[in-house]
Amino acid sequence: MKILVAVKRVVDYAVKIRVKADGSGIELANVKMSMNPFDEIAVEEAVRIKEKDPATEVVAVSIGTTKSQETLRTALAIGADRAILVETADDTPVEPLAVAKLLRAVVEQEKPDLVVLGKQAIDDDSNQTGQMLAALLGWAQGTFASKVVPEGGAVNVTREVDGGLETVKLTLPAIVTTDLRLNEPRYPSLPNIMKAKKKPLDVKKPADYGVDVAQRLKVLKTTEPPVRKAGVKVADVAELVRRLKTEAGVI
Amino acid sequence: MAILLVADHSNSALGASTGKALTAAKAIGGDVHVLIAGHAAQAAAEAASKLDGVAKVLVADAPHLANGLAEEIAATVVSLAGNYDTIIAPATASGKNVLPRVAALLDVMQISDIIKVVSPDTFERPIYAGNAIQTVQSTEAKKVITVRTAAFAAASEGGSAPIESVSAAPAVGISSFVGAELTKSDRPELTAAKIVISGGRGMGNGENFKTYIEPIATRLGAAMGASRAAVDAGFVPNDLQVGQTGKVVAPELYVAVGISGAIQHLAGMKDSKVIVAINKDAEAPIFQVADYGLVADLFQALPELDAELGKAGL
């Protein structure tokens, strides 16, 4: 089996982001960057499938500036075999539709049986790329996965949905996007981090795939959300209930 | 041109989120047609026809549409798309699954999770777990949009739109439904409840949710929620998770118990009208967004709260 895993370099989940005062975006200078947490889960899942079936090859792919090489090295340290960076010229975000088109081109060259992606990136919170890639390829999609079981020419995917869980069976090749409970990604060991430095990493350009990455949505401005003021501390439960009843009027 | 609203439904019932997405659709303007793509979904179609502001309900009925498979629903939506300049759906598990597939098939960049309609082509949406708000303008001929339902009020009832049947697209047949394990509950649905009471890691285990939170939820007619930490620890099922990547709620009253207030949890509840936090750590970040904070051990405070609410006649 061959698995392609897509990873994105984003602001680390623990960073409290700052909105630029001129409304032009988020302050990204000198901010800690990491692999999107859902993508880490995606890499881990692919590597676990490989550990069960050693004939599996795991290829990590990222779309971003040259700095995304670091993110790919992390994927290689977790256990991916090789990596492909589709390098963009600057920090202008590439929209999910363009990312999906680039990934389609990579899929057409690599011919994986399964593509695993994070369900959303924690920067733009779009939650689109996996579904779009499935659409462009005409493949089945198992989004928000909490369990992935390959089985012959198909994969059973248990999905986190609004009312609980549901399981779908997808004909391979197929797309899976990961949710939080799928697995707990490992911390790469030092020897694996060293080994990752020697694994192959190809660098391509969007133009190599003939994909236009121009933005379709115009971001007019980026602002701070309305700030919620801290309220009062109440002394005890009786005061809490009294205030909820008489002051807030919500019970 | 008209707007196609892809309804969230279970065949036998219409999801409350559909009425909220309808409010967003009406703000964009134009005739709104609600699509029920399902199988034997007459009940859902009738519920949709009663929503105020629906011009028409379209029913695509086929066995392969019965279980909401994205491949099948998207194919039917795309087959109807030519008549519409906007395709919209609530950002529920189903809407988030289906609409990006529709968007890519139409070669359109989707606008996810809008919280405000600024004008028919300009919208506000949260990014970075709601720590920034982007105003985006679509330059696409067609727009594909999902709606954060917590940001819009539900449309009222009182309509009587005609119900028309439309053809379902032929089966794609690359996926099949195996089964579902849905949480059974008599409580209101988390994203539709007026009161939500959520527990975090501080609850200690799932049994304590039952012992300490459930009685209060029952008394208040509230939905139960949980932080990611509580779900990850296996205290409660995933469908209770409130947060950036779980459910986003904005009830009249949100009670956070034993929840420290991580950024990603706040993203799911900070638009609630009134927030109450009960936590033994006076420095917990949850107190920075709480209207009423009680620094207390929850295992003492919750039974007291239950008793006080009883005394108050609830």
mmCIF file of all heavy atoms in Angstrom, chain B residues 1-4 33 35 58 74-87 102 105-106 108 141-144 166:
data_model
loop_
_atom_site.group_PDB
_atom_site.id
_atom_site.type_symbol
_atom_site.label_atom_id
_atom_site.label_comp_id
_atom_site.label_asym_id
_atom_site.label_seq_id
_atom_site.Cartn_x
_atom_site.Cartn_y
_atom_site.Cartn_z
ATOM 1 N N MET B 1 -30.554 35.745 -8.767
ATOM 2 C CA MET B 1 -30.864 34.315 -8.778
ATOM 3 C C MET B 1 -31.134 33.803 -7.362
ATOM 4 O O MET B 1 -30.932 34.523 -6.392
ATOM 5 C CB MET B 1 -29.710 33.535 -9.417
ATOM 6 C CG MET B 1 -29.986 33.226 -10.875
ATOM 7 S SD MET B 1 -29.200 31.701 -11.439
ATOM 8 C CE MET B 1 -27.485 32.165 -11.523
ATOM 9 N N ALA B 2 -31.522 32.585 -7.292
ATOM 10 C CA ALA B 2 -31.964 32.034 -6.006
ATOM 11 C C ALA B 2 -30.818 31.377 -5.233
ATOM 12 O O ALA B 2 -29.713 31.202 -5.754
ATOM 13 C CB ALA B 2 -33.070 31.014 -6.265
ATOM 14 N N ILE B 3 -31.116 31.059 -3.989
ATOM 15 C CA ILE B 3 -30.155 30.420 -3.093
ATOM 16 C C ILE B 3 -30.608 28.987 -2.824
ATOM 17 O O ILE B 3 -31.786 28.757 -2.533
ATOM 18 C CB ILE B 3 -30.087 31.192 -1.759
ATOM 19 C CG1 ILE B 3 -29.586 32.625 -2.016
ATOM 20 C CG2 ILE B 3 -29.203 30.468 -0.748
ATOM 21 C CD1 ILE B 3 -29.551 33.495 -0.769
ATOM 22 N N LEU B 4 -29.680 28.042 -2.903
ATOM 23 C CA LEU B 4 -29.994 26.656 -2.562
ATOM 24 C C LEU B 4 -29.435 26.361 -1.174
ATOM 25 O O LEU B 4 -28.227 26.456 -0.953
ATOM 26 C CB LEU B 4 -29.378 25.697 -3.590
ATOM 27 C CG LEU B 4 -29.709 24.215 -3.371
ATOM 28 C CD1 LEU B 4 -31.200 23.951 -3.579
ATOM 29 C CD2 LEU B 4 -28.885 23.333 -4.304
ATOM 30 N N HIS B 33 -34.419 28.188 -1.722
ATOM 31 C CA HIS B 33 -34.958 26.850 -1.936
ATOM 32 C C HIS B 33 -34.207 25.893 -1.025
ATOM 33 O O HIS B 33 -32.974 25.885 -1.021
ATOM 34 C CB HIS B 33 -34.779 26.406 -3.400
ATOM 35 C CG HIS B 33 -35.513 27.275 -4.375
ATOM 36 N ND1 HIS B 33 -35.458 27.107 -5.730
ATOM 37 C CD2 HIS B 33 -36.330 28.346 -4.171
ATOM 38 C CE1 HIS B 33 -36.209 28.017 -6.330
ATOM 39 N NE2 HIS B 33 -36.751 28.796 -5.404
ATOM 40 N N LEU B 35 -33.098 22.190 -0.051
ATOM 41 C CA LEU B 35 -32.973 20.857 -0.624
ATOM 42 C C LEU B 35 -32.932 19.807 0.473
ATOM 43 O O LEU B 35 -32.091 19.839 1.366
ATOM 44 C CB LEU B 35 -31.688 20.746 -1.456
ATOM 45 C CG LEU B 35 -31.363 19.320 -1.941
ATOM 46 C CD1 LEU B 35 -32.400 18.814 -2.953
ATOM 47 C CD2 LEU B 35 -29.960 19.250 -2.549
ATOM 48 N N LEU B 58 -37.246 21.417 -2.165
ATOM 49 C CA LEU B 58 -36.960 20.420 -3.200
ATOM 50 C C LEU B 58 -36.621 19.104 -2.519
ATOM 51 O O LEU B 58 -35.807 19.080 -1.597
ATOM 52 C CB LEU B 58 -35.760 20.855 -4.048
ATOM 53 C CG LEU B 58 -35.824 22.260 -4.644
ATOM 54 C CD1 LEU B 58 -34.539 22.564 -5.408
ATOM 55 C CD2 LEU B 58 -37.038 22.403 -5.557
ATOM 56 N N ALA B 74 -23.363 15.236 -2.618
ATOM 57 C CA ALA B 74 -22.688 16.277 -3.407
ATOM 58 C C ALA B 74 -23.067 16.157 -4.882
ATOM 59 O O ALA B 74 -23.301 17.167 -5.556
ATOM 60 C CB ALA B 74 -21.173 16.179 -3.225
ATOM 61 N N ALA B 75 -23.150 14.916 -5.389
ATOM 62 C CA ALA B 75 -23.490 14.733 -6.803
ATOM 63 C C ALA B 75 -24.872 15.315 -7.106
ATOM 64 O O ALA B 75 -25.070 15.975 -8.138
ATOM 65 C CB ALA B 75 -23.436 13.251 -7.166
ATOM 66 N N THR B 76 -25.816 15.098 -6.192
ATOM 67 C CA THR B 76 -27.163 15.629 -6.416
ATOM 68 C C THR B 76 -27.178 17.156 -6.303
ATOM 69 O O THR B 76 -27.812 17.847 -7.110
ATOM 70 C CB THR B 76 -28.159 14.970 -5.430
ATOM 71 O OG1 THR B 76 -28.336 13.614 -5.833
ATOM 72 C CG2 THR B 76 -29.504 15.672 -5.435
ATOM 73 N N VAL B 77 -26.457 17.694 -5.330
ATOM 74 C CA VAL B 77 -26.397 19.158 -5.191
ATOM 75 C C VAL B 77 -25.812 19.777 -6.458
ATOM 76 O O VAL B 77 -26.350 20.754 -7.007
ATOM 77 C CB VAL B 77 -25.563 19.573 -3.953
ATOM 78 C CG1 VAL B 77 -25.393 21.091 -3.909
ATOM 79 C CG2 VAL B 77 -26.210 19.065 -2.672
ATOM 80 N N VAL B 78 -24.730 19.185 -6.967
ATOM 81 C CA VAL B 78 -24.074 19.728 -8.160
ATOM 82 C C VAL B 78 -25.015 19.660 -9.364
ATOM 83 O O VAL B 78 -25.054 20.580 -10.189
ATOM 84 C CB VAL B 78 -22.744 18.992 -8.435
ATOM 85 C CG1 VAL B 78 -22.190 19.345 -9.809
ATOM 86 C CG2 VAL B 78 -21.724 19.328 -7.351
ATOM 87 N N SER B 79 -25.845 18.603 -9.432
ATOM 88 C CA SER B 79 -26.757 18.485 -10.567
ATOM 89 C C SER B 79 -27.809 19.590 -10.574
ATOM 90 O O SER B 79 -28.387 19.902 -11.609
ATOM 91 C CB SER B 79 -27.431 17.105 -10.559
ATOM 92 O OG SER B 79 -28.395 17.040 -9.517
ATOM 93 N N LEU B 80 -28.029 20.197 -9.404
ATOM 94 C CA LEU B 80 -29.031 21.264 -9.312
ATOM 95 C C LEU B 80 -28.390 22.655 -9.342
ATOM 96 O O LEU B 80 -29.073 23.674 -9.433
ATOM 97 C CB LEU B 80 -29.805 21.133 -7.986
ATOM 98 C CG LEU B 80 -30.625 19.862 -7.800
ATOM 99 C CD1 LEU B 80 -31.070 19.728 -6.345
ATOM 100 C CD2 LEU B 80 -31.839 19.885 -8.723
ATOM 101 N N ALA B 81 -27.063 22.709 -9.245
ATOM 102 C CA ALA B 81 -26.365 23.963 -8.959
ATOM 103 C C ALA B 81 -26.539 25.034 -10.039
ATOM 104 O O ALA B 81 -26.460 26.234 -9.750
ATOM 105 C CB ALA B 81 -24.877 23.693 -8.726
ATOM 106 N N GLY B 82 -26.787 24.597 -11.271
ATOM 107 C CA GLY B 82 -26.896 25.550 -12.372
ATOM 108 C C GLY B 82 -27.935 26.632 -12.162
ATOM 109 O O GLY B 82 -27.804 27.747 -12.673
ATOM 110 N N ASN B 83 -28.962 26.319 -11.369
ATOM 111 C CA ASN B 83 -30.046 27.285 -11.168
ATOM 112 C C ASN B 83 -29.786 28.265 -10.035
ATOM 113 O O ASN B 83 -30.650 29.077 -9.734
ATOM 114 C CB ASN B 83 -31.341 26.531 -10.844
ATOM 115 C CG ASN B 83 -31.721 25.580 -11.949
ATOM 116 O OD1 ASN B 83 -31.477 25.865 -13.131
ATOM 117 N ND2 ASN B 83 -32.284 24.434 -11.586
ATOM 118 N N TYR B 84 -28.645 28.166 -9.415
ATOM 119 C CA TYR B 84 -28.423 28.966 -8.202
ATOM 120 C C TYR B 84 -27.103 29.719 -8.269
ATOM 121 O O TYR B 84 -26.132 29.228 -8.830
ATOM 122 C CB TYR B 84 -28.432 28.049 -6.969
ATOM 123 C CG TYR B 84 -29.752 27.328 -6.832
ATOM 124 C CD1 TYR B 84 -29.926 26.051 -7.352
ATOM 125 C CD2 TYR B 84 -30.843 27.955 -6.233
ATOM 126 C CE1 TYR B 84 -31.143 25.408 -7.287
ATOM 127 C CE2 TYR B 84 -32.068 27.318 -6.151
ATOM 128 C CZ TYR B 84 -32.223 26.046 -6.681
ATOM 129 O OH TYR B 84 -33.438 25.425 -6.613
ATOM 130 N N ASP B 85 -27.075 30.902 -7.652
ATOM 131 C CA ASP B 85 -25.787 31.588 -7.572
ATOM 132 C C ASP B 85 -25.157 31.455 -6.189
ATOM 133 O O ASP B 85 -23.999 31.810 -5.993
ATOM 134 C CB ASP B 85 -25.870 33.056 -8.029
ATOM 135 C CG ASP B 85 -26.883 33.851 -7.253
ATOM 136 O OD1 ASP B 85 -27.427 33.326 -6.260
ATOM 137 O OD2 ASP B 85 -27.132 35.013 -7.637
ATOM 138 N N THR B 86 -25.936 30.924 -5.227
ATOM 139 C CA THR B 86 -25.364 30.682 -3.901
ATOM 140 C C THR B 86 -25.837 29.319 -3.404
ATOM 141 O O THR B 86 -27.024 29.003 -3.501
ATOM 142 C CB THR B 86 -25.805 31.780 -2.903
ATOM 143 O OG1 THR B 86 -25.358 33.042 -3.394
ATOM 144 C CG2 THR B 86 -25.215 31.539 -1.522
ATOM 145 N N ILE B 87 -24.907 28.547 -2.900
ATOM 146 C CA ILE B 87 -25.240 27.262 -2.280
ATOM 147 C C ILE B 87 -24.748 27.342 -0.847
ATOM 148 O O ILE B 87 -23.589 27.693 -0.593
ATOM 149 C CB ILE B 87 -24.583 26.098 -3.037
ATOM 150 C CG1 ILE B 87 -25.145 26.074 -4.462
ATOM 151 C CG2 ILE B 87 -24.853 24.764 -2.330
ATOM 152 C CD1 ILE B 87 -24.386 25.202 -5.398
ATOM 153 N N VAL B 102 -18.845 19.798 -2.942
ATOM 154 C CA VAL B 102 -19.645 20.526 -3.932
ATOM 155 C C VAL B 102 -18.817 21.666 -4.522
ATOM 156 O O VAL B 102 -18.756 21.847 -5.746
ATOM 157 C CB VAL B 102 -20.928 21.085 -3.270
ATOM 158 C CG1 VAL B 102 -21.649 22.047 -4.201
ATOM 159 C CG2 VAL B 102 -21.845 19.936 -2.838
ATOM 160 N N LEU B 105 -16.169 20.540 -6.960
ATOM 161 C CA LEU B 105 -16.766 20.056 -8.214
ATOM 162 C C LEU B 105 -17.219 21.229 -9.083
ATOM 163 O O LEU B 105 -17.260 21.123 -10.305
ATOM 164 C CB LEU B 105 -17.937 19.106 -7.931
ATOM 165 C CG LEU B 105 -17.542 17.752 -7.317
ATOM 166 C CD1 LEU B 105 -18.774 16.967 -6.877
ATOM 167 C CD2 LEU B 105 -16.705 16.916 -8.297
ATOM 168 N N LEU B 106 -17.549 22.354 -8.434
ATOM 169 C CA LEU B 106 -17.974 23.539 -9.182
ATOM 170 C C LEU B 106 -16.799 24.484 -9.437
ATOM 171 O O LEU B 106 -16.984 25.569 -9.983
ATOM 172 C CB LEU B 106 -19.065 24.282 -8.398
ATOM 173 C CG LEU B 106 -20.378 23.515 -8.169
ATOM 174 C CD1 LEU B 106 -21.282 24.276 -7.208
ATOM 175 C CD2 LEU B 106 -21.093 23.292 -9.501
ATOM 176 N N VAL B 108 -15.136 26.210 -7.190
ATOM 177 C CA VAL B 108 -15.391 27.412 -6.405
ATOM 178 C C VAL B 108 -14.633 27.296 -5.086
ATOM 179 O O VAL B 108 -14.576 26.227 -4.486
ATOM 180 C CB VAL B 108 -16.907 27.539 -6.108
ATOM 181 C CG1 VAL B 108 -17.184 28.602 -5.051
ATOM 182 C CG2 VAL B 108 -17.675 27.840 -7.382
ATOM 183 N N ALA B 141 -18.260 33.539 -9.407
ATOM 184 C CA ALA B 141 -19.584 33.696 -10.006
ATOM 185 C C ALA B 141 -20.633 32.987 -9.157
ATOM 186 O O ALA B 141 -21.759 33.435 -9.030
ATOM 187 C CB ALA B 141 -19.585 33.131 -11.421
ATOM 188 N N LYS B 142 -20.244 31.848 -8.604
ATOM 189 C CA LYS B 142 -21.117 31.131 -7.679
ATOM 190 C C LYS B 142 -20.470 31.173 -6.317
ATOM 191 O O LYS B 142 -19.243 31.148 -6.207
ATOM 192 C CB LYS B 142 -21.213 29.664 -8.108
ATOM 193 C CG LYS B 142 -22.513 29.324 -8.804
ATOM 194 C CD LYS B 142 -22.616 27.834 -8.995
ATOM 195 C CE LYS B 142 -23.277 27.477 -10.303
ATOM 196 N NZ LYS B 142 -24.552 28.111 -10.581
ATOM 197 N N LYS B 143 -21.292 31.210 -5.277
ATOM 198 C CA LYS B 143 -20.733 31.188 -3.929
ATOM 199 C C LYS B 143 -21.172 29.908 -3.217
ATOM 200 O O LYS B 143 -22.321 29.496 -3.316
ATOM 201 C CB LYS B 143 -21.208 32.408 -3.131
ATOM 202 C CG LYS B 143 -20.626 33.715 -3.659
ATOM 203 C CD LYS B 143 -21.051 34.910 -2.846
ATOM 204 C CE LYS B 143 -22.520 35.240 -3.006
ATOM 205 N NZ LYS B 143 -22.863 35.869 -4.282
ATOM 206 N N VAL B 144 -20.209 29.304 -2.524
ATOM 207 C CA VAL B 144 -20.513 28.135 -1.706
ATOM 208 C C VAL B 144 -20.116 28.501 -0.281
ATOM 209 O O VAL B 144 -18.972 28.893 -0.024
ATOM 210 C CB VAL B 144 -19.748 26.885 -2.197
ATOM 211 C CG1 VAL B 144 -20.031 25.703 -1.283
ATOM 212 C CG2 VAL B 144 -20.139 26.556 -3.641
ATOM 213 N N VAL B 166 -37.424 16.577 -7.100
ATOM 214 C CA VAL B 166 -36.405 16.736 -8.146
ATOM 215 C C VAL B 166 -35.680 15.396 -8.265
ATOM 216 O O VAL B 166 -35.709 14.580 -7.342
ATOM 217 C CB VAL B 166 -35.389 17.860 -7.801
ATOM 218 C CG1 VAL B 166 -36.055 19.217 -7.814
ATOM 219 C CG2 VAL B 166 -34.711 17.607 -6.463
#
